[in-house]
Amino acid sequence: MPFDLFFERRWSIPLVGSLLFLAVFTSVFCLTLPREAILGWLSPALAKSGVHFEAQDAGLLFPAGLEIDNATVQFPGQPESIPIRRASVRLDLLWLFRGLPIHFQVAGGDSRIDLRLSSASAAASKGKLSVSKLSTLDYPGLLPGNGLGIAVDQCDIDWKRTGGGKSTGKGNANISVMRFPIPAADSPVKEAVIRDARMDFTLQGGALHVSSLRGRYEGAPVEGTGEVSNIASPSRSTITFHLKIPNPYEGNVATIFNLVAKNAKNATLSVSGPLLSPAGEFRFF
């Protein structure tokens, strides 16, 4: 029916007015729902997946979204919960033309996680992730093992899903601290701490391939490559790093290695094992 004929009908204007009233009423009703109603739906829904969730406050966002304040989340198999100061998921119309309209944000202390997806699905066709000031020292529930410790200053990654369902992407990270235990009885140190590292990586076949890692160990330069398999499932992930210290006598590392390998010109640090409890090993040559 042409629009001019539609508006000539006597009932057209009252009908349009009624529909607008219902739309506004529904929006206001949804946006003013009490926290008990929202959490009463959200907590049981997450519990079906084994996720324990509690929050002090919750509310709906315009035009479509949800915001949570002062929450704790505990995932299946993890002994500790993760505190979240604020989390939200919303439809971002400004990013609709970029193909990433779904926007997740999580904040806690100085930490920020910003995730954009092409759809509200775990199998979204593409995504973009940005992480800043996130440390396992502040949030031990992220990697609840007794091995790897990491403090990320900034990490950015873009990916897309191919026709076969595999994700491919690339990114980089600035890491202030990477901590690995050294369990060998004859090792001069029991823990290796790499500082001020820059890591470039690609995502392919469900694994994170590190093409370059450069940092400092006790003042000496460190460089190498590595891989983290099953990156989407930390409990099943394994980590492998091959790092080289070209001049082990530079910086404070000289004192550590002086009595161990006086004639060594190079040292390597190999890290391998489950992501939640990897182990490192020094070798000299």
Side-chain angles (χ1 to χ4, degrees):
M1 177 185 298
F3 283 105
D4 54 347
L5 295 178
F6 175 81
F7 284 105
E8 287 179 0
R9 304 278 185 174
R10 290 184 177 182
W11 45 264
S12 60
I13 294 179
L15 177 61
V16 172
S18 299
L19 292 176
L20 288 175
F21 172 79
L22 289 174
V24 172
F25 175 80
T26 302
S27 299
V28 172
F29 175 78
C30 291
L31 293 175
T32 56
L33 278 176
R35 60 174 294 275
E36 291 80 7
I38 299 173
L39 295 177
W41 162 79
L42 184 59
S43 296
L46 293 175
K48 292 180 180 179
S49 301
V51 178
H52 180 70
F53 172 83
E54 293 182 355
Q56 292 185 6
D57 199 6
L60 297 179
L61 301 174
F62 180 84
L66 174 67
E67 185 175 76
I68 303 294
D69 290 330
N70 299 317
T72 57
V73 180
Q74 187 173 6
F75 294 98
Q78 292 191 345
E80 298 185 56
S81 61
I82 302 173
I84 299 174
R85 180 173 61 84
R86 176 166 295 176
S88 66
V89 55
R90 67 189 308 167
L91 176 65
D92 192 336
L93 299 179
L94 295 178
W95 280 71
L96 185 61
F97 297 103
R98 301 188 186 184
L100 298 169
I102 306 301
H103 189 193
F104 291 87
Q105 285 184 307
V106 179
D110 295 329
S111 305
R112 297 288 186 276
I113 299 176
D114 194 291
L115 174 63
R116 295 184 181 274
L117 297 172
S118 58
S119 63
S121 168
S125 60
K126 63 178 180 177
K128 180 181 180 67
L129 174 66
S130 179
V131 178
S132 60
K133 302 297 181 182
L134 186 62
S135 172
T136 56
L137 295 178
D138 299 329
Y139 302 98
L142 291 176
L143 295 174
N146 56 0
L148 176 65
I150 187 169
V152 178
D153 288 338
Q154 184 67 39
C155 177
D156 297 284
I157 178 172
D158 295 88
W159 76 90
K160 61 182 179 180
R161 194 176 298 274
T162 62
K166 300 293 185 179
S167 296
T168 60
K170 62 180 181 179
N172 57 74
N174 293 320
I175 302 171
S176 57
V177 175
M178 293 183 69
R179 192 182 307 271
F180 306 101
I182 310 294
D186 58 348
S187 175
V189 293
K190 296 303 179 183
E191 187 178 66
V193 181
I194 300 173
R195 302 184 185 276
D196 303 324
R198 162 77 180 194
M199 187 168 67
D200 297 314
F201 56 85
T202 59
L203 179 65
Q204 189 171 10
L208 194 72
H209 302 277
V210 179
S211 58
S212 173
L213 187 150
R214 296 177 180 272
R216 308 288 294 181
Y217 173 71
E218 295 291 343
V222 176
E223 58 186 35
T225 60
E227 179 181 292
V228 181
S229 67
N230 295 316
I231 189 65
S233 178
S235 62
R236 297 189 297 112
S237 292
T238 59
I239 183 173
T240 305
F241 273 98
H242 301 287
L243 306 175
K244 181 179 179 181
I245 306 175
N247 187 355
Y249 295 101
E250 182 177 337
N252 296 331
V253 75
T255 303
I256 298 174
F257 291 152
N258 186 45
L259 298 176
V260 179
K262 292 184 177 181
N263 298 322
K265 295 182 179 180
N266 295 281
T268 61
L269 170 60
S270 298
V271 180
S272 61
L275 177 63
L276 301 182
S277 57
E281 179 184 6
F282 279 109
R283 294 180 182 178
F284 309 96
F285 59 95

